[in-house]
Amino acid sequence: MPSQFFGLNIAASGLSAFQTSINVTTNNISNVQTEGYTRQSATLESTQAIRCYTKYGSIGTGVAATEIRQERDLYYDDKYWENSGSLGFYEQKLYYLDQIESVFTDNETQEGFATIFAKMFNGLDTLKNNAADESVRNQFINQAQSLCTYFNALYSSLQEIQEDANEEIKNSVDCINTYSSKIALLNKQINTVEINGGYANELRDERANLIDQLSAIVDVETSEYEVQNTNGENLGGTNYTVMINGQILVDGNDYRTLECTSSAYQHCQSDIEGMYEITWADTGMRFAATTGTANGTLKALFEIRDGNYNQNLTGEITAISANSFTIAPPSITNINALSLPDNGQVTVNNKTYIYTGWSAEVDENGKLTSFTFELESELTQNEIDRLVGKELTQSASINAMGIPYYQQQITEFLREFTQLFNEIEQGGETLNGEIMGSFFVGTTKTGTVYDFSDWQKDEDGKYPSTISSKDDSYYQMTAETIVINAKSIKDPTYFSTAETIKDGADAYDVVDKLLTLQEDVTMFRGDDASSFLEKLISDISVDTEKVQTYYNNYSNLDTVITNMRTSVSGVDEDEEALNLVKFQNAYNMASKVISVMSELYDKLINETGV
């Protein structure tokens, strides 16, 4: 049987409950500009009725605020994280593609290949009518050296972009490790609060913000489930897991970290040194940064840094010994298209093997028919038995046009052009009657000069039967090494304009042949030399346009998902103002009840006489 003062207790419960609701609304309004804040609401429930031994049987006891919950929709969170990875991927890739595109710029403000190449051939055409004039010769040689300098600078610029991407990979790994440790710590703090009956809204907001940032770097999946005892009873806490690229990163209070190690080997011939490889710190296994499920800025960085458009060397192992692999036929038969480092790594059956050098068999037409790799470590008999017939792959195969692809395209063009140019030059005599050597040569940082003497045709027009990574062939010609031979730079007479000087100093039959190399000879991707830059610009423009389209699509989708997410979790000022008025009115009504009850008690106590 409730007491005479029971109504006062009910009204007091209303005051308390609506005061809590007003406080929650006030907190929402205060955080209307707080990034990552999730709107909260107080859950009001009627308190348990008490039994009365009367006709109506029981009577309500008022209201209570049972919890303060976040207004979040996990469906929109998942969609946001999924889209964030795609948006981050295309945004990061677009940033680097714009840089690559700017490297190939050729206009009034920045001279590029087409301008410099045209100037060189204009100088050659002028030389045609002044073959004996040393000043004209010198002018042409300087213009040819400008072409070499252009390619040297192009090589360095692309390497700088690759270096930037490489450093960003390390920074991304550092961010992932920081996020994983913070998320695991927040999991522990959240459970500490919620096991004791609270609800850690602010900590959950902080954790969700970390997932938002992580989702832009890698593909993220999360799950949360209640922790139960063996009887299926909820113990009050939850287990929160985070997976990146399909692999566990955080599991409750435990977390994993990634490690970046500098590789001692290059993936492609023109790669920078010390490229980072990512492994799991606890297992040493390689982190899958570019698999089908991968996404985010980290995948984009790998595609820019390592993207070779699947144009790496592959082949079936046809012969094997304790110290070598031999593959035939190779996927690349043209030495000018070869981007294989002189030493590095090859992959067979998902296992990496280190080779210290390679050699190749060559047919009479100069085509490569097989490759043999000399291994750093001896193979066991078991490996020998099971690797025969397996496919060998040069390093990673990434189907994207990244820095290695463009470096390889440049190198292939240079090898084809310089080989044809040198072969024509070597068919003539200098102004002093000497047999002309290679006009374009390769020079390494250590001063080694390659004139490609190991890749000369014999009297029957046949190429050498074997070639190796150490030989003096056009394999040594890259955008980094190309220069004009030092003798021609010092002495302009050391350049052939005629097949024999006996025809006179003004003869120019060799020059006529050289002039055909500008536009009359097919040498690169089915077109002439002057169209080289157009091919690369076409590649980069198509790739950039495609990425820009995807970026715009995902950016628009991000706006839609963010708006939908905000409609649930965000603070709306008008809605909160309405709630404030609603709860204020309810609070005033509860206060009015107390005022009325006070008058009743005054009558009961002071004016009722017995």
Side-chain angles (χ1 to χ4, degrees):
M1 180 77 182
S3 70
Q4 297 294 331
F5 296 94
F6 188 53
L8 189 60
N9 293 332
I10 295 175
S13 72
L15 287 177
S16 177
F18 295 125
Q19 178 67 59
T20 301
S21 297
I22 290 173
N23 291 340
V24 171
T25 303
T26 302
N27 187 51
N28 288 339
I29 294 172
S30 300
N31 286 280
V32 67
Q33 297 297 330
T34 303
E35 185 177 356
Y37 175 80
T38 302
R39 183 168 62 89
Q40 300 176 9
S41 62
T43 302
L44 304 183
E45 293 182 2
S46 58
T47 53
Q48 188 174 1
I50 62 173
R51 186 176 179 184
C52 300
Y53 295 97
T54 60
K55 279 187 177 183
Y56 48 83
S58 62
I59 189 170
T61 59
V63 65
T66 57
E67 60 184 4
I68 300 174
R69 286 271 184 178
Q70 293 178 309
E71 297 295 334
R72 271 195 108 89
D73 191 320
L74 293 180
Y75 173 80
Y76 291 138
D77 283 343
D78 289 339
K79 290 300 178 184
Y80 178 86
W81 295 331
E82 180 181 336
N83 187 75
S84 178
S86 298
L87 181 60
F89 172 80
Y90 287 108
E91 183 176 21
Q92 185 75 85
K93 199 167 183 181
L94 185 61
Y95 169 77
Y96 278 99
L97 288 177
D98 285 340
Q99 289 191 54
I100 296 173
E101 194 170 26
S102 68
V103 167
F104 296 114
T105 300
D106 186 4
N107 53 34
E108 296 80 7
T109 59
Q110 180 179 324
E111 281 194 349
F113 168 79
T115 303
I116 297 171
F117 193 69
K119 283 184 177 180
M120 186 186 82
F121 274 91
N122 288 339
L124 189 61
D125 190 55
T126 303
L127 180 62
K128 176 179 175 179
N129 300 316
N130 303 274
D133 191 327
E134 291 190 19
S135 63
V136 176
R137 283 171 166 264
N138 193 57
Q139 182 180 6
F140 163 72
I141 291 171
N142 288 333
Q143 288 166 338
Q145 182 58 48
S146 295
L147 182 69
C148 297
T149 302
Y150 165 77
F151 279 108
N152 297 155
L154 189 62
Y155 178 90
S156 298
S157 297
L158 290 174
Q159 279 216 323
E160 287 175 6
I161 296 173
Q162 191 176 39
E163 180 69 43
D164 290 343
N166 191 52
E167 287 302 316
E168 277 210 64
I169 287 174
K170 186 177 186 303
N171 293 337
S172 297
V173 168
D174 291 340
C175 288
I176 292 172
N177 290 338
T178 299
Y179 293 151
S180 66
S181 62
K182 287 184 176 180
I183 291 170
L185 178 60
L186 286 169
N187 286 345
K188 183 177 181 180
Q189 293 174 338
I190 289 169
N191 276 335
T192 299
V193 172
E194 295 185 354
I195 285 176
N196 294 320
Y199 205 75
N201 293 324
E202 284 71 20
L203 296 177
R204 284 179 172 272
D205 277 347
E206 188 175 346
R207 184 175 67 184
N209 289 338
L210 292 175
I211 299 295
D212 285 353
Q213 297 172 57
L214 182 62
S215 67
I217 302 175
V218 286
D219 181 70
V220 173
E221 296 178 38
T222 66
S223 63
E224 185 174 17
Y225 57 88
E226 295 179 345
V227 178
Q228 298 177 335
N229 60 21
T230 54
N231 297 322
E233 298 171 335
N234 183 20
L235 297 179
T238 61
N239 192 74
Y240 190 84
T241 62
V242 179
M243 298 182 71
I244 58 172
N245 292 359
Q247 302 165 81
I248 286 289
L249 178 69
V250 179
D251 186 6
N253 300 344
D254 301 321
Y255 66 94
R256 303 171 71 192
T257 57
L258 297 169
E259 286 185 343
C260 267
T261 55
S262 296
S263 175
Y265 304 98
Q266 297 167 299
H267 296 161
C268 295
Q269 186 182 13
S270 60
D271 282 342
I272 61 172
E273 296 180 354
M275 294 205 301
Y276 291 117
E277 294 181 350
I278 306 177
T279 55
W280 288 105
D282 54 351
T283 64
M285 298 293 290
R286 178 172 293 184
F287 174 67
T290 57
T291 60
T293 60
N295 216 342
T297 59
L298 187 59
K299 181 179 180 180
L301 290 170
F302 271 97
E303 287 198 357
I304 291 295
R305 193 195 72 173
D306 300 342
N308 51 25
Y309 207 46
N310 284 344
Q311 293 189 3
N312 54 347
L313 180 68
T314 62
E316 182 182 319
I317 297 177
T318 55
I320 187 172
S321 69
N323 300 301
S324 68
F325 290 131
T326 298
I327 62 171
S331 60
I332 298 175
T333 59
N334 182 359
I335 192 171
N336 291 342
L338 195 63
S339 63
L340 185 68
D342 59 352
N343 63 83
Q345 301 171 323
V346 291
T347 302
V348 186
N349 266 7
N350 293 322
K351 183 176 180 180
T352 299
Y353 296 88
I354 307 300
Y355 68 91
T356 56
W358 58 263
S359 60
E361 297 291 325
V362 186
D363 68 14
E364 61 183 16
N365 297 316
K367 298 297 183 183
L368 309 176
T369 57
S370 69
F371 278 85
T372 298
F373 296 88
E374 300 300 325
L375 301 179
E376 182 181 62
S377 303
E378 288 193 0
L379 301 174
T380 65
Q381 187 59 48
N382 181 49
E383 285 180 306
I384 293 174
D385 293 339
R386 64 186 174 81
L387 292 180
V388 174
K390 302 298 182 182
E391 185 174 87
L392 177 146
T393 304
Q394 167 200 345
S395 188
S397 179
I398 298 180
N399 188 23
M401 289 187 285
I403 299 299
Y405 170 76
Y406 291 105
Q407 292 278 36
Q408 186 273 333
Q409 292 289 292
I410 294 167
T411 298
E412 182 177 351
F413 166 76
L414 285 177
R415 289 171 179 171
E416 293 180 0
F417 175 75
T418 57
Q419 183 176 350
L420 290 173
F421 197 102
N422 286 344
E423 286 177 351
I424 294 173
E425 271 292 286
Q426 289 162 357
E429 294 178 352
T430 70
L431 200 58
N432 296 325
E434 298 179 64
I435 299 298
M436 180 63 189
S438 294
F439 181 67
F440 290 102
V441 298
T443 303
T444 65
K445 293 178 180 178
T446 57
T448 302
V449 178
Y450 296 100
D451 63 2
F452 323 119
S453 56
D454 291 336
W455 193 252
Q456 303 291 334
K457 295 178 182 179
D458 61 18
E459 294 179 355
D460 297 326
K462 296 180 180 179
Y463 286 98
S465 59
T466 61
I467 200 74
S468 77
S469 57
K470 308 300 180 186
D471 290 343
D472 187 1
S473 71
Y474 280 92
Y475 167 77
Q476 311 296 349
M477 169 63 77
T478 67
E480 178 188 30
T481 62
I482 184 173
V483 293
I484 303 302
N485 74 76
K487 195 170 182 180
S488 293
I489 294 291
K490 294 178 181 177
D491 181 9
T493 64
Y494 190 73
F495 180 79
S496 66
T497 57
E499 291 184 1
T500 174
I501 200 64
K502 293 179 182 179
D503 295 335
D506 291 326
Y508 54 80
D509 51 340
V510 168
V511 177
D512 273 340
K513 292 179 181 179
L514 291 175
L515 287 171
T516 64
L517 297 180
Q518 183 177 16
E519 295 180 341
D520 299 334
V521 177
T522 299
M523 67 175 67
F524 180 71
R525 289 167 59 171
D527 213 333
D528 57 68
S530 62
S531 301
F532 158 71
L533 187 64
E534 294 176 13
K535 299 294 185 184
L536 290 193
I537 289 179
S538 175
D539 288 341
I540 187 67
S541 297
V542 170
D543 202 21
T544 302
E545 185 177 355
K546 181 178 72 174
V547 171
Q548 180 71 63
T549 300
Y550 277 111
Y551 170 73
N552 291 340
N553 290 341
Y554 282 108
S555 182
N556 293 335
L557 190 57
D558 177 73
T559 301
V560 172
I561 294 174
T562 299
N563 289 339
M564 296 174 71
R565 195 186 191 201
T566 303
S567 69
V568 176
S569 303
V571 177
D572 183 273
E573 297 179 11
D574 294 335
E575 183 179 355
E576 297 304 324
L578 184 62
N579 286 339
L580 198 60
V581 172
K582 180 175 67 177
F583 295 136
Q584 180 188 20
N585 290 338
Y587 186 90
N588 291 340
M589 290 299 295
S591 299
K592 184 64 176 177
V593 171
I594 291 178
S595 176
V596 170
M597 295 300 296
S598 176
E599 294 182 12
L600 292 176
Y601 298 144
D602 182 65
K603 287 290 183 180
L604 176 65
I605 296 171
N606 296 323
E607 299 184 19
T608 302
V610 179

Coordinates of all heavy atoms in Angstrom, one line a residue, residues 239-300:
N239 N 33.7 -7.8 -27.2 CA 35.0 -8.0 -27.9 C 34.9 -7.3 -29.3 O 34.1 -7.6 -30.1 CB 35.3 -9.5 -28.1 CG 36.7 -9.7 -28.5 OD1 37.7 -9.6 -27.7 ND2 36.9 -10.1 -29.8
Y240 N 35.8 -6.4 -29.5 CA 35.8 -5.6 -30.7 C 37.1 -5.9 -31.6 O 38.2 -5.9 -31.1 CB 35.9 -4.1 -30.4 CG 35.7 -3.1 -31.5 CD1 34.4 -2.8 -31.9 CD2 36.7 -2.6 -32.2 CE1 34.1 -1.9 -33.0 CE2 36.5 -1.7 -33.2 CZ 35.2 -1.4 -33.6 OH 35.0 -0.5 -34.7
T241 N 36.8 -6.4 -32.8 CA 37.9 -6.8 -33.7 C 38.0 -5.9 -34.9 O 37.0 -5.4 -35.4 CB 37.8 -8.2 -34.1 OG1 36.6 -8.4 -34.9 CG2 37.7 -9.2 -32.9
V242 N 39.2 -5.7 -35.4 CA 39.4 -4.9 -36.6 C 40.3 -5.7 -37.6 O 41.3 -6.3 -37.2 CB 40.2 -3.6 -36.3 CG1 40.4 -2.8 -37.6 CG2 39.4 -2.8 -35.3
M243 N 39.8 -5.8 -38.8 CA 40.6 -6.5 -39.8 C 41.0 -5.5 -40.9 O 40.2 -4.7 -41.3 CB 39.8 -7.7 -40.4 CG 39.5 -8.8 -39.4 SD 38.5 -10.1 -40.2 CE 39.9 -10.9 -41.1
I244 N 42.2 -5.6 -41.4 CA 42.7 -4.8 -42.5 C 43.1 -5.7 -43.7 O 43.9 -6.7 -43.5 CB 43.8 -3.8 -42.1 CG1 45.0 -4.6 -41.6 CG2 43.3 -2.8 -41.1 CD1 46.2 -3.6 -41.4
N245 N 42.6 -5.4 -44.9 CA 42.9 -6.3 -46.0 C 42.7 -7.8 -45.7 O 43.4 -8.6 -46.2 CB 44.3 -6.0 -46.5 CG 44.5 -4.7 -47.1 OD1 43.6 -3.9 -47.2 ND2 45.7 -4.3 -47.5
G246 N 41.6 -8.0 -44.9 CA 41.3 -9.4 -44.6 C 42.1 -10.1 -43.6 O 42.0 -11.3 -43.3
Q247 N 43.0 -9.3 -42.9 CA 43.9 -9.9 -41.9 C 43.6 -9.2 -40.5 O 43.4 -8.0 -40.5 CB 45.3 -9.7 -42.3 CG 45.6 -10.4 -43.6 CD 46.9 -10.0 -44.2 OE1 48.0 -10.5 -43.8 NE2 46.9 -9.1 -45.2
I248 N 43.7 -9.9 -39.4 CA 43.4 -9.4 -38.1 C 44.5 -8.4 -37.7 O 45.7 -8.6 -37.8 CB 43.4 -10.5 -37.0 CG1 42.2 -11.4 -37.1 CG2 43.5 -9.9 -35.6 CD1 40.9 -10.6 -36.7
L249 N 44.0 -7.2 -37.3 CA 44.9 -6.1 -36.8 C 44.7 -6.0 -35.3 O 45.6 -5.9 -34.5 CB 44.6 -4.8 -37.5 CG 45.4 -3.6 -37.0 CD1 46.9 -3.8 -37.4 CD2 44.9 -2.3 -37.6
V250 N 43.4 -5.9 -34.8 CA 43.1 -5.7 -33.4 C 42.1 -6.8 -33.0 O 41.1 -7.0 -33.7 CB 42.5 -4.3 -33.1 CG1 42.2 -4.2 -31.6 CG2 43.5 -3.2 -33.5
D251 N 42.3 -7.4 -31.9 CA 41.4 -8.4 -31.4 C 41.2 -8.1 -29.9 O 42.0 -8.6 -29.1 CB 41.9 -9.8 -31.6 CG 40.8 -10.9 -31.2 OD1 39.7 -10.5 -30.8 OD2 41.2 -12.1 -31.2
G252 N 40.2 -7.4 -29.5 CA 39.9 -7.0 -28.1 C 41.1 -6.1 -27.6 O 41.3 -5.0 -28.2
N253 N 41.7 -6.5 -26.6 CA 42.8 -5.7 -26.0 C 44.2 -6.0 -26.7 O 45.2 -5.4 -26.4 CB 43.0 -6.1 -24.5 CG 41.7 -5.7 -23.7 OD1 40.8 -5.0 -24.2 ND2 41.6 -6.2 -22.5
D254 N 44.2 -7.0 -27.6 CA 45.4 -7.4 -28.3 C 45.5 -6.7 -29.6 O 44.5 -6.5 -30.3 CB 45.5 -8.9 -28.4 CG 45.5 -9.6 -27.1 OD1 46.1 -9.1 -26.2 OD2 44.9 -10.7 -27.0
Y255 N 46.7 -6.4 -30.1 CA 46.8 -5.8 -31.4 C 48.1 -6.2 -32.0 O 49.1 -6.7 -31.3 CB 46.8 -4.2 -31.3 CG 48.0 -3.6 -30.6 CD1 49.1 -3.2 -31.2 CD2 47.9 -3.5 -29.2 CE1 50.2 -2.6 -30.5 CE2 49.0 -2.9 -28.5 CZ 50.1 -2.5 -29.2 OH 51.2 -1.9 -28.5
R256 N 48.2 -6.1 -33.4 CA 49.4 -6.5 -34.1 C 50.0 -5.3 -34.7 O 49.3 -4.3 -34.9 CB 49.0 -7.5 -35.2 CG 48.4 -8.8 -34.7 CD 47.9 -9.6 -35.8 NE 48.9 -10.3 -36.6 CZ 48.8 -10.9 -37.7 NH1 47.6 -10.9 -38.3 NH2 49.9 -11.4 -38.3
T257 N 51.2 -5.3 -35.1 CA 51.9 -4.2 -35.7 C 52.6 -4.7 -37.0 O 52.9 -5.9 -37.2 CB 53.0 -3.6 -34.8 OG1 53.9 -4.6 -34.4 CG2 52.3 -3.0 -33.6
L258 N 52.8 -3.7 -37.9 CA 53.5 -4.0 -39.1 C 55.0 -3.5 -39.1 O 55.2 -2.5 -38.3 CB 52.8 -3.4 -40.3 CG 51.4 -3.9 -40.6 CD1 50.7 -2.9 -41.6 CD2 51.4 -5.3 -41.1
E259 N 55.8 -4.1 -39.8 CA 57.2 -3.6 -39.9 C 57.6 -3.3 -41.3 O 57.2 -3.9 -42.3 CB 58.2 -4.7 -39.4 CG 58.2 -4.9 -37.9 CD 59.2 -5.8 -37.4 OE1 59.7 -6.6 -38.3 OE2 59.5 -5.9 -36.2
C260 N 58.4 -2.2 -41.5 CA 58.9 -1.8 -42.8 C 60.4 -2.1 -42.8 O 61.1 -1.7 -41.9 CB 58.7 -0.3 -43.0 SG 57.2 0.1 -43.9
T261 N 60.8 -2.9 -43.8 CA 62.2 -3.2 -43.9 C 62.7 -2.8 -45.3 O 62.0 -3.0 -46.3 CB 62.5 -4.7 -43.7 OG1 61.7 -5.5 -44.5 CG2 62.2 -5.1 -42.2
S262 N 63.9 -2.2 -45.4 CA 64.4 -1.8 -46.7 C 65.0 -3.1 -47.4 O 65.8 -3.8 -46.9 CB 65.5 -0.8 -46.5 OG 65.0 0.4 -46.0
S263 N 64.5 -3.3 -48.6 CA 64.9 -4.4 -49.4 C 66.3 -4.1 -50.0 O 66.6 -3.0 -50.4 CB 63.9 -4.7 -50.6 OG 64.5 -5.7 -51.4
A264 N 67.1 -5.2 -50.0 CA 68.5 -5.0 -50.6 C 68.5 -5.2 -52.1 O 69.5 -5.0 -52.8 CB 69.4 -6.1 -50.0
Y265 N 67.3 -5.5 -52.7 CA 67.2 -5.7 -54.1 C 66.1 -4.9 -54.7 O 65.2 -4.5 -54.1 CB 66.9 -7.2 -54.3 CG 67.9 -8.2 -53.7 CD1 67.6 -8.7 -52.4 CD2 69.1 -8.4 -54.2 CE1 68.5 -9.6 -51.8 CE2 70.0 -9.3 -53.6 CZ 69.7 -9.8 -52.4 OH 70.6 -10.7 -51.8
Q266 N 66.3 -4.6 -56.0 CA 65.4 -3.9 -56.8 C 64.4 -4.8 -57.5 O 64.7 -5.9 -57.8 CB 66.1 -3.1 -57.9 CG 67.1 -2.0 -57.4 CD 68.0 -1.5 -58.5 OE1 68.7 -2.2 -59.1 NE2 67.9 -0.2 -58.7
H267 N 63.2 -4.3 -57.7 CA 62.2 -5.2 -58.4 C 62.4 -5.0 -59.9 O 62.3 -6.0 -60.6 CB 60.8 -4.7 -58.1 CG 60.4 -4.9 -56.6 ND1 59.4 -4.2 -56.0 CD2 60.9 -5.7 -55.7 CE1 59.3 -4.6 -54.8 NE2 60.2 -5.4 -54.5
C268 N 62.8 -3.8 -60.3 CA 63.0 -3.6 -61.8 C 64.4 -2.8 -61.9 O 64.9 -2.3 -60.9 CB 61.9 -2.8 -62.4 SG 60.3 -3.6 -62.4
Q269 N 64.9 -2.8 -63.1 CA 66.3 -2.3 -63.3 C 66.4 -0.8 -62.9 O 67.5 -0.4 -62.4 CB 66.6 -2.5 -64.7 CG 68.0 -2.1 -65.1 CD 68.3 -2.3 -66.6 OE1 67.4 -2.4 -67.4 NE2 69.6 -2.2 -67.0
S270 N 65.3 -0.1 -63.0 CA 65.4 1.4 -62.8 C 64.9 1.8 -61.4 O 64.8 3.0 -61.1 CB 64.6 2.1 -63.9 OG 63.3 1.7 -63.8
D271 N 64.6 0.8 -60.6 CA 64.0 1.1 -59.2 C 65.0 1.8 -58.4 O 66.3 1.7 -58.5 CB 63.5 -0.1 -58.5 CG 62.2 -0.6 -59.1 OD1 61.5 0.2 -59.7 OD2 61.9 -1.8 -58.8
I272 N 64.5 2.6 -57.4 CA 65.4 3.2 -56.4 C 65.9 2.1 -55.5 O 65.4 1.0 -55.4 CB 64.7 4.3 -55.6 CG1 63.5 3.6 -54.8 CG2 64.2 5.4 -56.4 CD1 62.8 4.5 -53.9
E273 N 66.9 2.4 -54.7 CA 67.4 1.5 -53.7 C 66.7 1.6 -52.4 O 66.2 2.7 -52.1 CB 68.9 1.7 -53.5 CG 69.8 1.4 -54.7 CD 71.2 1.7 -54.5 OE1 71.6 2.1 -53.4 OE2 72.1 1.4 -55.4
G274 N 66.6 0.5 -51.7 CA 66.0 0.6 -50.3 C 64.5 0.7 -50.3 O 64.0 1.3 -49.4
M275 N 63.9 0.1 -51.3 CA 62.4 0.1 -51.3 C 61.9 -0.7 -50.1 O 62.4 -1.8 -49.8 CB 61.8 -0.4 -52.6 CG 62.2 0.5 -53.7 SD 61.0 0.4 -55.1 CE 61.1 -1.3 -55.6
Y276 N 60.8 -0.2 -49.4 CA 60.3 -0.9 -48.2 C 59.4 -2.0 -48.6 O 58.6 -2.0 -49.5 CB 59.5 0.2 -47.4 CG 60.4 1.2 -46.8 CD1 60.2 2.6 -47.1 CD2 61.3 0.9 -45.8 CE1 61.0 3.6 -46.5 CE2 62.1 1.9 -45.3 CZ 61.9 3.2 -45.6 OH 62.7 4.2 -45.0
E277 N 59.6 -3.1 -47.8 CA 58.7 -4.2 -47.8 C 58.0 -4.3 -46.5 O 58.6 -4.0 -45.4 CB 59.4 -5.5 -48.1 CG 60.0 -5.5 -49.5 CD 60.8 -6.8 -49.8 OE1 61.0 -7.6 -48.8 OE2 61.1 -7.1 -50.9
I278 N 56.7 -4.7 -46.5 CA 55.9 -4.7 -45.2 C 55.7 -6.1 -44.8 O 55.2 -6.9 -45.6 CB 54.6 -3.9 -45.4 CG1 54.8 -2.5 -46.0 CG2 53.8 -3.9 -44.1 CD1 53.5 -1.8 -46.2
T279 N 55.9 -6.4 -43.5 CA 55.7 -7.7 -42.9 C 55.0 -7.5 -41.6 O 55.1 -6.5 -40.9 CB 57.0 -8.5 -42.7 OG1 57.9 -7.7 -41.9 CG2 57.6 -8.8 -44.1
W280 N 54.3 -8.6 -41.1 CA 53.7 -8.6 -39.8 C 54.9 -8.8 -38.8 O 55.7 -9.7 -38.9 CB 52.7 -9.7 -39.7 CG 51.4 -9.4 -40.4 CD1 51.0 -10.0 -41.6 CD2 50.4 -8.5 -40.0 NE1 49.8 -9.4 -42.0 CE2 49.4 -8.5 -41.0 CE3 50.2 -7.6 -38.9 CZ2 48.2 -7.8 -40.9 CZ3 49.1 -6.9 -38.9 CH2 48.1 -6.9 -39.9
A281 N 54.9 -8.0 -37.7 CA 56.0 -8.1 -36.7 C 55.9 -9.4 -36.0 O 57.0 -9.9 -35.6 CB 55.9 -6.9 -35.7
D282 N 54.7 -10.0 -35.8 CA 54.7 -11.2 -34.9 C 55.0 -12.5 -35.7 O 55.4 -13.5 -35.2 CB 53.3 -11.3 -34.3 CG 52.1 -11.2 -35.3 OD1 52.4 -10.9 -36.5 OD2 51.0 -11.5 -34.9
T283 N 54.7 -12.5 -37.0 CA 54.9 -13.7 -37.8 C 56.0 -13.6 -38.9 O 56.5 -14.6 -39.3 CB 53.6 -14.1 -38.5 OG1 53.2 -13.1 -39.5 CG2 52.5 -14.3 -37.5
G284 N 56.3 -12.4 -39.2 CA 57.3 -12.2 -40.3 C 56.7 -12.4 -41.7 O 57.4 -12.3 -42.7
M285 N 55.4 -12.7 -41.8 CA 54.8 -12.9 -43.1 C 54.5 -11.6 -43.8 O 54.3 -10.6 -43.1 CB 53.4 -13.7 -42.9 CG 53.6 -15.0 -42.3 SD 54.4 -16.2 -43.3 CE 53.2 -16.4 -44.6
R286 N 54.6 -11.6 -45.1 CA 54.4 -10.4 -45.9 C 53.0 -9.9 -45.8 O 52.0 -10.7 -45.8 CB 54.8 -10.7 -47.3 CG 54.6 -9.4 -48.2 CD 55.1 -9.7 -49.6 NE 56.5 -9.8 -49.6 CZ 57.3 -9.9 -50.7 NH1 56.7 -10.0 -51.9 NH2 58.6 -10.0 -50.7
F287 N 52.8 -8.6 -45.6 CA 51.5 -8.0 -45.5 C 50.9 -7.9 -46.9 O 51.6 -7.3 -47.8 CB 51.5 -6.7 -44.8 CG 50.3 -5.9 -44.8 CD1 49.2 -6.4 -44.1 CD2 50.1 -4.7 -45.6 CE1 48.0 -5.7 -44.2 CE2 49.0 -4.0 -45.6 CZ 47.9 -4.5 -44.9
A288 N 49.7 -8.3 -47.1 CA 49.1 -8.3 -48.5 C 48.5 -6.9 -48.7 O 47.4 -6.5 -48.4 CB 48.0 -9.3 -48.6
A289 N 49.4 -6.0 -49.3 CA 49.0 -4.6 -49.5 C 48.3 -4.4 -50.8 O 47.6 -3.3 -51.0 CB 50.2 -3.7 -49.4
T290 N 48.4 -5.3 -51.8 CA 47.8 -5.1 -53.1 C 46.9 -6.2 -53.6 O 46.7 -6.4 -54.8 CB 48.9 -4.9 -54.1 OG1 49.8 -6.0 -54.1 CG2 49.8 -3.7 -53.8
T291 N 46.4 -7.1 -52.6 CA 45.6 -8.2 -53.0 C 44.2 -7.6 -53.5 O 43.9 -6.5 -53.4 CB 45.3 -9.1 -51.9 OG1 44.7 -8.4 -50.8 CG2 46.7 -9.7 -51.4
G292 N 43.4 -8.6 -54.0 CA 42.1 -8.2 -54.5 C 41.2 -7.5 -53.5 O 40.4 -6.6 -53.8
T293 N 41.3 -7.8 -52.2 CA 40.5 -7.2 -51.1 C 41.1 -5.9 -50.6 O 40.5 -5.2 -49.9 CB 40.4 -8.2 -50.0 OG1 41.7 -8.5 -49.4 CG2 39.7 -9.4 -50.4
A294 N 42.4 -5.6 -51.0 CA 43.1 -4.4 -50.5 C 42.4 -3.2 -51.1 O 41.8 -3.2 -52.2 CB 44.5 -4.5 -50.8
N295 N 42.6 -2.1 -50.4 CA 42.1 -0.8 -50.9 C 42.8 0.3 -50.1 O 43.7 0.0 -49.3 CB 40.6 -0.7 -50.6 CG 39.9 0.1 -51.8 OD1 40.5 0.8 -52.5 ND2 38.6 -0.1 -51.9
G296 N 42.5 1.5 -50.4 CA 43.0 2.6 -49.6 C 44.3 3.2 -50.2 O 44.8 2.8 -51.2
T297 N 44.8 4.2 -49.5 CA 46.0 4.9 -50.0 C 47.2 4.1 -50.1 O 48.1 4.3 -50.9 CB 46.3 6.2 -49.1 OG1 46.5 5.7 -47.8 CG2 45.2 7.1 -49.1
L298 N 47.3 3.1 -49.2 CA 48.5 2.2 -49.2 C 48.6 1.4 -50.5 O 49.7 1.3 -51.0 CB 48.5 1.3 -47.9 CG 49.7 0.4 -47.7 CD1 51.0 1.3 -47.5 CD2 49.6 -0.5 -46.5
K299 N 47.5 0.9 -50.9 CA 47.5 0.1 -52.2 C 47.9 1.1 -53.3 O 48.7 0.6 -54.2 CB 46.1 -0.5 -52.4 CG 46.1 -1.3 -53.7 CD 44.7 -1.9 -53.9 CE 44.6 -2.7 -55.2 NZ 43.3 -3.3 -55.4
A300 N 47.4 2.3 -53.3 CA 47.7 3.2 -54.4 C 49.2 3.5 -54.4 O 49.8 3.6 -55.5 CB 46.9 4.5 -54.2

